[in-house]
Amino acid sequence: MALLRLGSKSEAFHREGRTWTCTTGLQSDVTIEIGEMSFNLHKFPLLSKSGLLEKRIEEHSCDNGSIRVLELDGIPGGAKAFELISKFCYGVKLDLTAANVVCIRCAAEYLRMTEDYGEGNLIAQTEAFLNEVFTNWKDSLKALESCEEVLPYAEELHIVSRCIDSLATKACADPKVFNLPLSGQTTSQNEGSVIVWNGISVAAKPEAMGNDWWFQDVSFLNFPLYRRLILAIESRGMKPETVAASLIHYAKKYIPLMNKQSNFNNITCVNPGTTVSFPPEADQRIVLEEIVTLLPNKRGVTPTRFLLRLLRTAMVLHASPSCQENLEKRVGAQLDQAVLVDLLIPNVGYSAETLYDVDCVQRMLDHFVSLHQETALSTSPCIVEEGHFLEETDALTPITMVASLVDEFLAEIAPDVNLKLQKFELLAATIPDYARPLDDGVYHAIDVYLKAHPWLTDIEREQLCRLMNCQKLSIEASTHAAQNERLPLRVIVQVLFFEQLRLRTSISGWFFVSENLESSQNPTGNIELPKKNSSCPMDSAQDHAVEVDVRERVSELEKECSNLKEEIQNLVKTKKKWKIFSKKFSFRQKLQPCNSKESCELKEPESSKNEQPNHDNSDKFSNSN
């Protein structure tokens, strides 16, 4: 720590109550009053060093020899700073440190203690010492903190800007260059970092310093100074990720309400019986709004979880609409990085109808979709095998992740009886059709909503079910939907129809593969399998395995088709209004049971070798019943 000793005389001042008296033996002839403190001094040591005191003493000269009384209430640093200046004028020992040099420098400027009143006057001494202070991180930080007491004068003398420039330069440079200690590391810890092994003292390897070594130190600054420091650091090319991390550290410290709204595990534990004082909500709101303006605009730099927690706190603190809109757009730009638990923002206010703020999520989703419209596909995929959907959506990873997130959010808010059908439909319809490889998630949300809202009319139920594409339901979802009594009958028939169509497509594909294999083995055109050739036992075994596999697949397809036919027949028997429905939608001829010769053309396999069941979806659908 920087230190400068001035003067050589021993202590010559004595304090009694609120009065300082010089104990040189001579009677005092001038009294300086600063606030409630009084200094009984002598005029010659003062006027020989200060232009202001020389002028004031001449203006208050008395011929009768009475003691002059001068008021210096406007001196920077108050009585504490003048006490040190008085010692300098009398030549008493005085220590200049990083903590007091700024106040003394401003007070010396106020008293006009220039070189015109003696060589090596206080202004020159303090300026030289400040230059030494600015070479050290800790000293520069202490000097900047002390500027808060005399901020107008420190600004006028450019001390604040010089401190900030010094700190910003060191924060952006390699810490080893300035020999900077880790935050919170003491000298004793440095001395104890010597390892004694077999009687030999070996210095321990210094701990590596990360980019966050300065976060804790600068967090003790008040926000105006911290803000200026962050802007200076950012202007010097600091990585946006590091700037954002520092702002997060500062926000967690000075916005305690945000910690209550989150599940952060780094909240300091408080001992029982102790009282913790938090800043007023008005101050927290100001800090929050300012931090939002300082956050880097680059996508993905600031964690989405932090932005959502900040948005939730902004709603509680009633931050400005522009601040909340800014946060919503930031979250919307990187909504694919969010998780469900952070999207569940409780509604604030007595006029809120739903438990969670659905409108806020809708605005963030609209912003995300608007930013990703350029990557939208012109058409949605046709009816294909389930595994083929995922192969064609590599370029849509963000929008696909958001689609899954929105489906989970819909399923979470669906049980709310106060949730309007229009809001549910609008939120689900915002996701484009191509963004969902499978519609199992939106089907589950629709099923939960129908279960929680049994009073919906048939028209509203059909309108709600239009949100899902029956062609993109998995085997588990289709099976569940075919037995779901909450769905309209028309939707159930569509599910069964598309499942039959998918089975037919799969069977055709298997027969095509089988015929190609047989043709390649029998170039003469016969359909019979080739006889075993003793010269190629390995090829014969492989051909036999393929033949057995194809026959097993066909057998499974026939069983699956028979089961689907039985389900359709049972559905017709249990639905009383089937005749009216079939006349209205003309499904009678299309769904007539097929004969034994045609059954193979309508059947589709479900093999464990080709399609593995989704146990998560099956559990989810079974629970919804």
Side-chain angles (χ1 to χ4, degrees):
M1 181 176 178
L3 176 66
L4 177 62
R5 297 184 181 275
L6 300 178
S8 57
K9 298 180 181 179
S10 59
E11 183 64 46
F13 288 87
H14 175 68
R15 177 175 179 178
E16 295 180 359
R18 298 179 179 178
T19 302
W20 282 92
T21 303
C22 182
T23 59
T24 58
L26 299 177
Q27 184 179 1
S28 173
D29 57 1
V30 62
T31 299
I32 307 296
E33 293 183 351
I34 303 175
E36 298 179 353
M37 297 296 297
S38 299
F39 296 84
N40 298 325
L41 306 175
H42 305 86
K43 63 179 180 180
F44 289 107
L46 299 178
L47 58 83
S48 64
K49 296 291 185 180
S50 169
L52 177 65
L53 292 177
E54 179 185 22
K55 179 180 179 182
R56 297 289 298 275
I57 290 174
E58 291 178 357
E59 292 176 352
H60 294 78
S61 59
C62 299
D63 297 334
N64 55 7
S66 59
I67 298 177
R68 301 172 179 82
V69 179
L70 304 179
E71 294 183 358
L72 293 178
D73 293 332
I75 184 172
K80 184 178 180 180
F82 187 77
E83 174 193 348
L84 300 176
I85 289 179
S86 299
K87 292 181 179 181
F88 174 79
C89 292
Y90 278 85
V92 178
K93 292 180 181 179
L94 168 66
D95 290 341
L96 286 181
T97 63
N100 63 20
V101 64
V102 175
C103 291
I104 296 177
R105 172 66 181 89
C106 295
E109 186 71 23
Y110 178 82
L111 296 175
R112 299 203 296 269
M113 302 178 72
T114 62
E115 295 296 295
D116 297 337
Y117 295 90
E119 185 178 356
N121 210 344
L122 193 55
I123 290 180
Q125 296 279 10
T126 52
E127 274 295 332
F129 184 68
L130 276 174
N131 293 330
E132 181 181 352
V133 167
F134 294 149
T135 61
N136 184 273
W137 169 265
K138 289 289 186 181
D139 291 337
S140 299
L141 193 61
K142 288 183 178 180
L144 183 58
E145 291 178 358
S146 64
C147 289
E148 299 177 11
E149 303 177 9
V150 289
L151 192 57
Y153 300 95
E155 290 282 9
E156 186 177 354
L157 297 175
H158 305 289
I159 298 178
V160 176
S161 59
R162 290 155 65 189
C163 287
I164 291 176
D165 290 341
S166 172
L167 293 172
T169 302
K170 294 175 176 59
C172 296
D174 187 356
K176 298 179 182 178
V177 176
F178 298 96
N179 193 23
L180 301 173
L182 287 173
S183 180
Q185 190 176 28
T186 59
T187 306
S188 60
Q189 291 174 335
N190 294 331
E191 295 176 353
S193 59
V194 178
I195 302 175
V196 178
W197 177 79
N198 198 20
I200 303 175
S201 298
V202 181
K205 184 177 180 180
E207 184 178 356
M209 299 180 66
N211 295 329
D212 60 346
W213 63 267
W214 51 276
F215 291 178
Q216 182 66 17
D217 291 338
V218 301
S219 66
F220 291 97
L221 298 172
N222 65 10
F223 190 79
L225 293 179
Y226 173 80
R227 182 180 185 276
R228 293 176 60 178
L229 177 60
I230 288 296
L231 292 175
I233 290 175
E234 190 174 13
S235 65
R236 281 168 172 76
M238 177 68 75
K239 294 181 179 179
E241 292 82 359
T242 307
V243 175
S246 177
L247 291 168
I248 293 173
H249 182 89
Y250 194 91
K252 291 180 180 179
K253 184 173 183 178
Y254 291 99
I255 311 179
L257 187 59
M258 185 181 67
N259 298 330
K260 295 181 181 180
Q261 302 291 330
S262 64
N263 294 325
F264 292 150
N265 297 323
N266 57 351
I267 303 176
T268 304
C269 296
V270 181
N271 296 327
T274 59
T275 303
V276 180
S277 59
F278 295 116
E281 291 188 358
D283 295 342
Q284 295 186 50
R285 180 172 62 252
I286 294 174
V287 173
L288 186 147
E289 293 176 352
E290 291 292 336
I291 285 180
V292 171
T293 61
L294 293 176
L295 289 172
N297 293 323
K298 185 178 179 181
R299 180 183 182 275
V301 169
T302 307
T304 307
R305 163 168 286 191
F306 172 75
L307 292 175
L308 284 168
R309 301 289 166 82
L310 208 59
L311 176 59
R312 183 183 302 184
T313 308
M315 294 178 178
V316 176
L317 293 175
H318 302 289
S320 62
S322 60
C323 174
Q324 297 186 33
E325 182 182 359
N326 189 343
L327 286 171
E328 289 177 358
K329 289 185 177 180
R330 288 177 181 271
V331 175
Q334 52 193 52
L335 192 59
D336 54 303
Q337 302 175 10
V339 293
L340 176 61
V341 65
D342 295 325
L343 279 184
L344 301 178
I345 304 175
N347 253 326
V348 295
Y350 298 101
S351 60
E353 297 181 354
T354 57
L355 178 61
Y356 299 113
D357 196 338
V358 181
D359 295 333
C360 177
V361 177
Q362 180 68 57
R363 290 191 294 267
M364 293 187 292
L365 180 60
D366 290 338
H367 184 68
F368 176 86
V369 173
S370 65
L371 294 177
H372 290 75
Q373 282 181 346
E374 297 180 357
T375 59
L377 298 178
S378 57
T379 57
S380 59
C382 300
I383 303 176
V384 294
E385 295 293 334
E386 293 180 26
H388 294 176
F389 285 109
L390 301 178
E391 297 176 359
E392 300 177 359
T393 56
D394 293 338
L396 303 175
T397 299
I399 191 69
T400 304
M401 294 173 63
V402 171
S404 177
L405 178 65
V406 171
D407 292 344
E408 294 177 3
F409 180 77
L410 288 171
E412 190 70 25
I413 65 174
D416 192 345
V417 295
N418 294 323
L419 179 61
K420 304 294 185 181
L421 177 62
Q422 292 76 11
K423 286 188 176 182
F424 185 91
E425 291 179 334
L426 180 61
L427 189 61
T430 305
I431 297 295
D433 183 66
Y434 66 84
R436 292 188 176 100
L438 293 174
D439 275 16
D440 292 11
V442 68
Y443 164 67
H444 174 61
I446 291 174
D447 185 39
V448 174
Y449 189 85
L450 290 175
K451 185 177 181 179
H453 302 76
W455 55 83
L456 293 179
T457 64
D458 293 339
I459 297 178
E460 290 175 336
R461 290 172 181 267
E462 291 187 6
Q463 180 180 351
L464 181 63
C465 291
R466 292 194 187 101
L467 295 173
M468 67 176 178
N469 187 351
C470 298
Q471 305 179 42
K472 297 199 303 183
L473 293 179
S474 65
I475 298 295
E476 294 79 12
S478 298
T479 304
H480 185 275
Q483 304 172 1
N484 193 344
E485 297 180 355
R486 289 184 289 270
L487 295 179
L489 185 58
R490 178 179 181 180
V491 176
I492 297 177
V493 173
Q494 287 180 351
V495 172
L496 295 175
F497 171 76
F498 287 121
E499 189 61 26
Q500 285 276 3
L501 189 59
R502 185 181 301 175
L503 289 173
R504 178 187 298 177
T505 304
S506 181
I507 291 175
S508 301
W510 276 102
F511 276 121
F512 179 77
V513 172
S514 176
E515 291 176 359
N516 288 343
L517 288 174
E518 294 174 355
S519 299
S520 62
Q521 297 294 333
N522 187 10
T524 60
N526 296 329
I527 302 179
E528 297 180 356
L529 293 173
K531 297 181 180 181
K532 295 182 180 180
N533 187 359
S534 58
S535 61
C536 301
M538 186 64 67
D539 295 342
S540 178
Q542 292 179 355
D543 296 340
H544 180 70
V546 172
E547 176 187 1
V548 172
D549 181 66
V550 171
R551 295 185 184 277
E552 290 179 354
R553 293 287 294 171
V554 173
S555 177
E556 292 176 359
L557 292 174
E558 291 177 351
K559 294 180 181 179
E560 180 65 23
C561 188
S562 298
N563 294 334
L564 286 176
K565 286 174 59 179
E566 292 178 0
E567 290 181 4
I568 294 176
Q569 293 175 359
N570 294 334
L571 181 64
V572 173
K573 293 179 181 180
T574 55
K575 297 295 183 176
K576 296 181 180 181
K577 297 182 179 181
W578 170 251
K579 293 183 179 180
I580 300 175
F581 180 84
S582 59
K583 290 180 180 180
K584 184 176 180 179
F585 296 96
S586 300
F587 279 118
R588 177 174 299 177
Q589 296 179 357
K590 295 182 180 179
L591 296 177
Q592 289 179 354
C594 56
N595 52 33
S596 60
K597 295 181 179 180
E598 298 174 348
S599 62
C600 63
E601 298 180 358
L602 298 176
K603 298 183 174 77
E604 167 86 4
E606 181 185 357
S607 174
S608 60
K609 297 180 181 180
N610 188 37
E611 298 174 359
Q612 297 183 359
N614 189 340
H615 297 285
D616 296 337
N617 288 338
S618 61
D619 296 339
K620 175 175 64 176
F621 297 132
S622 61
N623 292 335
S624 63
N625 284 328

